[in-house]
Amino acid sequence: MKIPKEVKRYCPHCKKHTLQRVTQHKTGALRSTTTKGGRRHERRGGIHGYGGFPRPKIENSSRHRIKTSKRPDIRFECKECKKKNVYKNSVRAKKFEIVSIGGKE
Ligand SMILES: [Zn+2]
């Protein structure tokens, strides 16, 4: 899935269509080890060699298949009011990238 860098769409703050910059929200740190379950998970070898529990292994077994696609968290920043709007899309994509139109930065 590809999305242009700048799109013209409706801004609920300006109440009109404005040019908005597309940004992808990055998720934070993987897993905190401060909880009891997290400490136990760390003690039993962390992510490596945990035998497919509590999360299924990366290898695709027919019974415990993990998801290969995810919903990209896209945010739109309005150029006029500088407010960020969250785009709730229901599209699942394996690959997601922001492309610039015309090849200019
Ligand atoms: Zn706006």
Side-chain angles (χ1 to χ4, degrees):
M1 183 187 173
K2 282 180 183 177
I3 200 157
K5 217 175 202 175
E6 284 176 343
V7 280
K8 199 169 189 184
R9 70 194 292 277
Y10 181 77
C11 175
H13 301 281
C14 303
K15 288 177 181 171
K16 60 174 182 178
H17 273 75
T18 54
L19 203 65
Q20 294 179 31
R21 205 158 57 93
V22 182
T23 49
Q24 191 182 9
H25 186 73
K26 295 278 190 296
T27 45
L30 271 170
R31 174 191 280 263
S32 72
T33 53
T34 48
T35 57
K36 193 189 175 188
R39 284 196 301 271
R40 190 196 297 135
H41 186 75
E42 193 83 352
R43 194 171 65 239
R44 291 185 184 181
I47 301 160
H48 310 288
Y50 200 71
F53 184 84
R55 296 283 163 84
K57 275 187 145 180
I58 308 294
E59 289 113 25
N60 281 350
S61 64
S62 57
R63 282 178 69 197
H64 306 284
R65 200 167 55 85
I66 54 162
K67 289 169 182 170
T68 52
S69 65
K70 54 185 159 186
R71 283 183 191 152
D73 194 358
I74 309 166
R75 314 251 157 144
F76 291 96
E77 192 184 324
C78 177
K79 284 206 164 184
E80 288 190 26
C81 64
K82 302 285 178 193
K83 279 204 167 72
K84 275 181 183 170
N85 308 304
V86 184
Y87 176 47
K88 299 267 182 212
N89 75 329
S90 55
V91 180
R92 296 193 68 98
K94 273 191 177 182
K95 204 174 162 186
F96 175 76
E97 54 182 315
I98 299 164
V99 289
S100 56
I101 312 161
K104 56 180 179 181
E105 282 293 301

